[in-house]
């Protein structure tokens, strides 16, 4: 039968071959621009649960929540989706479309390629295209992406979308790590895919590429040292990592850039996208910043955290022409931003920066410490 019934009647599904339904669903996803598609079971991932619990206990998750906050849920699809029988997993490449920030440009900040624009939107469109095929067959389907209820990398590996790389990302042939993942949970009895029989082999190019050594072992990330994580967490950026932040405003691509399978994709991208005017960010109201960069994960949706990142990036890539702007933040009354402005003044140096730091007053011990550290970082005649 091919009717959903009248109100109050049970759903009646169209009789269709599992193979045909799976093929039609995948064809819809491919037509919508998805690069990799696979299907897997909803069986739990006990080994993933063990890793999440162990790494959280060791502090490696830092302040990140996501799947670390509920390992029991994230590692067991049936816990959050008890009605589902299959998981359709898809990956969509965002490079070379996202381009490349290129070399540093004074006064600008770098944004990781995945966040250069809303690359999740076309991914979700592809997921919904597949969900519509399943729903048309009378089945339930729910599209999700970047969702803490599901360890997307584990299901992607099981579904054959790619392999779990030593940089903790899912890698796929020709695409490398440059793709976003999403899933469709469904009660349709789709044909399952085979896991990909491939791994990184002896390649460990990503490990030394990390500027802070956050990849402490193949496949193991210490989020306390990860620059992408630090840019998303609340509070001050630790002093020992600010210079390593470089001109990064949001995210870090270094371990992805070093990954050989994705190198051709990067080379095909154009230069230009992914650079943001830091002065414009610092001169904008925090609420306007949060609205402009709504695709970013910003703690408490507070644009001040992006301004915090911008102050560090300006300290690393600015010059003495930016000192007046930094002095304004030093005297802004916002202790977090004032502390990062003090650090930036110490990093840029010069007579005006020294005078501003030596004349600054701080009632809070943390800000006083930031100012003292910035003064100590200055050479006698300016840095």
């Amino acid at each position: 039968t091919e009717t959903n019934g009248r109100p109050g009647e049970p759903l009646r599904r169209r009789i269709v071959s599992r193979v045909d339904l799976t093929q039609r669903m995948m064809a819809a996803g491919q037509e919508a621009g998805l690069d990799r598609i696979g299907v897997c079971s909803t069986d739990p991932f006990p080994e993933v649960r063990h890793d999440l619990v162990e790494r959280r206990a060791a502090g490696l998750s830092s302040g990140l929540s996501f799947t670390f906050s509920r390992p029991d849920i994230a590692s067991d699809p049936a816990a959050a989706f008890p009605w589902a029988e299959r998981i359709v997993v898809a990956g969509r490449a965002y490079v070379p479309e996202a381009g490349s920030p290129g070399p540093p440009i004074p006064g600008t900040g770098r944004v990781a390629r995945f966040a250069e624009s809303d690359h999740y939107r076309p991914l979700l469109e592809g997921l919904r295209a597949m969900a519509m095929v399943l729903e048309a067959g009378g089945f339930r389907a729910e599209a999700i992406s970047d969702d803490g209820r599901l360890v997307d990398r584990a299901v992607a590996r099981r579904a054959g979308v790619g392999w779990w790389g030593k940089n903790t990302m899912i890698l796929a042939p020709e695409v490398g790590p440059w793709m976003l993942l999403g899933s469709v949970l469904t009660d349709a009895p789709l044909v399952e895919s085979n896991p990909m029989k491939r791994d990184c082999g002896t390649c460990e190019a990503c490990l030394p590429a990390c500027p802070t050594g956050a990849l402490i072992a193949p496949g193991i990330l210490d989020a306390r040292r990860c620059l992408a994580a630090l840019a998303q967490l609340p509070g001050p950026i630790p002093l020992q990592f600010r210079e390593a932040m470089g001109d990064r405003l949001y995210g870090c691509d270094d371990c992805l850039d070093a990954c050989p399978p994705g190198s051709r994709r990067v080379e095909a991208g154009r230069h230009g996208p992914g650079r943001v005017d830091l002065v414009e960010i610092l001169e904008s109201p925090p609420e306007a910043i949060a609205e402009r960069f709504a695709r970013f994960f910003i703690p408490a949706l507070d644009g001040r955290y992006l301004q915090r990142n911008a102050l560090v990036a300006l300290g690393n890539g600015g010059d003495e022409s930016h000192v007046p702007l930094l002095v304004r933040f030093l005297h802004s009354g916002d202790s977090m931003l004032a502390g990062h402005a003090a650090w930036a003044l110490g990093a840029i140096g010069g007579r005006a920066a020294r005078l501003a730091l030596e004349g600054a007053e701080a009632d809070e011990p943390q800000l006083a410490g930031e100012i003292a550290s910035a003064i100590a970082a200055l050479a006698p005649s300016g840095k």
Side-chain angles (χ1 to χ4, degrees), residues 163 166 198-204:
W163 72 92
K166 293 179 181 179
R198 184 169 173 174
D199 57 32
C200 294
T202 60
C203 179
E204 294 187 347

Side-chain angles (χ1 to χ4, degrees), residues 232-234 286-287 290 296-305:
Q232 294 182 11
L233 292 172
E287 55 273 16
F296 291 3
F297 178 81
I298 304 175
L301 298 178
D302 189 344
R304 293 167 54 254
Y305 289 109

